[in-house]
């Protein structure tokens, strides 16, 4: 159960932060009129920005979900490993 | 032997930051009653043993450590150095147990000198700055009051950190460009506000599900909300990063609608709080371990 909780939390957090980061990157690319950029995991596109004749296009690919899922798996495994060995110190939130 | 030597060095540095002109006080949610110290926030009683019942009424009355050493050494005909060591050991133990706050001599505005001395001492000894943590009671359950109490604690306890950040922002602005300096300053202000909302959310959740809580903070150490342990610890731990991250999403949406990079930079520290939900941080580990079991 801890693994599932860790997976869901890691997946959602990284997905949200990826969207925000790549949105900011797309806006910066548009503002600075960069020629275009592409980030991909093999055939899976994560982020792509292209300069068009009449504007600018920013694309989020399926890779963004794959990266979030990988982060979720790592977070889930980390939750299983780290919480097992962590001393139980409830009653304190950092 | 190495570990012991390290402990001795840390204790030596800790002893070096306590002076005979300093005072101590009981936090408002700790009460000296008879032969015990009552922690009202956590609902615990601590029995006073040994020489503690002699020192604590004097500490609570606001005498300086030097005055207490003089009074006790005369009354019991003991060497002042022995009384001083005994008193400092008690003060350190009570401070580590979050039952006693220290007030260094020189008044509340002597912190720039203390921060400078801390940094120089850390550079010379190679040990991170040692400083006594301070307990800030949070007694009101109203959001407004909790936010003000937490902001006051964060701003006052970590004043040196914020001054360094502002100086860094101004230097960056002067050396690189005003626009970059403004972005760095917005991030610094966002960091203070994000920490305030993070800790206030912990405190409100703790007040919602537990009988009481308090904030501990020190100049260079971590910030934490301490509360009685219970089945909702995971939710209390998740409340901080989730609330600050949620605020970050709202501020980010505002930055998008305004098209303002400064507002976007202000949102960054809030959004970074979302990492607190992952197992990289203690809040995330507590949440993963316990939160959903109590739904």
């Amino acid at each position: 159960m801890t693994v599932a909780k860790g997976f869901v939390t890691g997946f959602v957090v990284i997905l949200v932060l990826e969207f925000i980061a790549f949105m900011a990157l797309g806006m910066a690319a548009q503002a600075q009129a960069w020629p275009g950029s592409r980030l991909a995991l093999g055939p899976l596109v994560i982020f792509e920005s292209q300069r068009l004749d009449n504007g600018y296009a920013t694309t989020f690919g399926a890779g963004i979900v794959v990266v979030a899922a990988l982060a979720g798996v790592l977070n889930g495994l980390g939750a299983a490993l780290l919480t097992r060995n962590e001393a139980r110190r409830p009653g304190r939130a950092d | 032997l190495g570990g012991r030597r390290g402990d001795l060095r840390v204790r030596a540095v800790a002893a070096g930051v306590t002076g005979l002109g300093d005072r101590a006080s009981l936090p408002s949610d700790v009460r000296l009653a008879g032969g015990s110290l009552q922690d009202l926030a956590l609902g615990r009683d601590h029995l006073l043993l040994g020489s503690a019942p002699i020192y604590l009424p004097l500490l609570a009355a606001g005498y300086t450590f030097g005055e207490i050493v003089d009074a006790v050494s005369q009354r019991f005909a003991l060497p002042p150095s022995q009384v001083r060591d005994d008193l400092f050991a008690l003060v350190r133990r009570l401070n580590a147990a979050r039952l006693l706050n220290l007030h260094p001599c020189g008044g509340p505005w002597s912190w720039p000198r203390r921060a400078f001395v801390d940094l120089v001492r850390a550079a010379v000894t190679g040990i991170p700055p040692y400083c006594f943590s301070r307990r800030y009671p949070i007694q009101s359950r109203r959001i407004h009051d909790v936010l003000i109490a937490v902001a006051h604690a964060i701003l006052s306890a970590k004043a040196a950190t914020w001054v360094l950040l502002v100086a860094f922002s101004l230097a960056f602005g002067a050396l690189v460009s005003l626009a970059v300096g403004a972005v760095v300053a917005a991030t610094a202000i966002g960091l203070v506000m994000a920490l305030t909302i993070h800790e206030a959310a912990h405190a409100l959740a703790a007040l919602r599900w537990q009988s009481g809580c308090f904030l501990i903070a020190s100049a260079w150490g971590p910030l934490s909300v301490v509360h009685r342990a219970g089945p909702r610890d995971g939710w209390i731990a998740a409340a901080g990063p989730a609330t600050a991250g949620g605020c970050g999403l709202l501020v980010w949406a505002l930055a998008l609608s305004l098209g303002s990079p400064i507002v976007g930079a202000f949102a960054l520290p809030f959004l970074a709080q979302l990492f607190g939900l992952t197992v990289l941080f203690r809040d995330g580990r507590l949440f993963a371990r316990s939160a959903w079991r109590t739904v």
Side-chain angles (χ1 to χ4, degrees):
Chain A
M1 193 62 186
T2 302
V3 176
K5 291 176 213 168
F7 173 80
V8 172
T9 311
F11 178 79
V12 171
V13 165
I14 298 303
L15 190 66
V16 167
L17 290 176
E18 271 186 301
F19 265 116
I20 288 169
F22 290 130
M23 208 185 290
L25 196 61
M27 288 167 67
Q30 191 172 357
Q32 300 295 319
W34 290 341
S37 53
R38 187 173 192 269
L39 186 64
L41 277 175
L44 275 175
V45 176
I46 298 172
F47 165 81
E48 190 171 18
S49 66
Q50 286 175 302
R51 201 170 169 184
L52 306 174
D53 293 339
N54 55 347
Y56 217 86
T58 301
T59 311
F60 296 124
I64 208 167
V65 179
V66 174
V67 170
L70 287 175
V73 169
L74 285 177
N75 199 53
L77 292 176
L81 293 174
L82 296 176
T83 61
R84 186 192 306 162
N85 296 327
E86 186 168 304
R88 292 189 71 87
R89 275 194 315 163
R92 186 174 149 184
D94 294 333
Chain B
L1 183 64
R4 285 185 185 173
R5 187 178 295 161
D7 289 348
L8 282 176
R9 289 183 71 198
V10 170
R11 284 176 62 185
V13 173
V17 298
T18 317
L20 288 172
D22 300 347
R23 298 169 196 274
S25 69
L26 295 177
S28 61
D29 54 354
V30 175
R31 190 187 296 158
L32 179 62
S36 69
L37 270 181
Q38 295 177 342
D39 188 330
L40 303 179
L42 302 184
R44 287 185 193 149
D45 274 5
H46 301 268
L47 197 61
L48 298 177
L49 300 171
S51 55
I54 299 166
Y55 293 121
L56 265 169
L58 298 170
L59 288 169
Y63 290 107
T64 65
F65 296 156
E67 290 167 338
I68 294 173
V69 168
D70 289 344
V72 173
S73 61
Q74 283 175 16
R75 184 174 162 197
F76 295 96
L78 290 168
S81 59
Q82 184 185 337
V83 177
R84 183 199 61 204
D85 292 346
D86 192 29
L87 174 65
F88 283 3
L90 174 72
V91 164
R92 280 198 292 276
R93 277 204 307 275
L94 288 176
N95 181 259
R98 325 295 186 202
L99 294 167
L100 193 74
N101 284 339
L102 261 74
H103 305 280
C105 61
W109 292 103
S110 61
W111 60 263
R113 180 181 55 80
R114 290 202 309 274
F116 178 73
V117 170
D118 283 348
L119 290 175
V120 170
R121 186 182 283 124
V124 171
T125 61
I127 301 172
Y130 182 94
C131 42
F132 291 100
S133 63
R134 189 174 169 81
R135 171 171 172 157
Y136 295 87
I138 299 172
Q139 285 158 330
S140 170
R141 286 170 189 261
R142 288 163 52 193
I143 295 175
H144 178 253
D145 292 341
V146 172
L147 274 173
I148 288 178
V150 172
H152 167 255
I154 289 174
L155 286 174
S156 59
K158 296 201 167 291
T161 309
W162 309 135
V163 167
L164 282 176
L165 262 178
V166 169
F168 176 74
S169 307
L170 291 176
F172 218 71
L175 293 174
V176 182
S177 77
L178 275 180
V180 176
V183 166
V184 175
T187 311
I189 294 168
L191 179 63
V192 175
M193 296 189 68
L195 282 177
T196 301
I197 289 175
H198 180 122
E199 300 301 336
H202 281 315
L204 286 165
L207 290 168
R208 166 77 177 76
W209 287 308
Q210 296 296 335
S211 55
C213 70
F214 56 86
L215 185 77
I216 51 168
S218 60
W220 309 107
L223 281 165
S224 291
V225 169
V226 179
H227 55 88
R228 193 190 283 189
R232 301 273 189 174
D233 283 355
W235 287 115
I236 295 170
T243 308
C247 291
L249 292 176
L250 292 177
V251 178
W252 178 253
L254 182 70
L256 282 183
S257 65
L258 294 174
S260 164
I262 290 179
V263 180
F266 177 76
L268 286 181
F270 286 89
L271 293 168
Q273 302 286 323
L274 285 173
F275 282 114
L277 289 170
T278 66
V279 294
L280 297 175
F281 295 88
R282 193 167 167 274
D283 284 342
R285 291 196 291 274
L286 264 179
F287 179 59
R289 188 175 64 195
S290 62
W292 292 355
R293 290 176 195 160
T294 58
V295 176

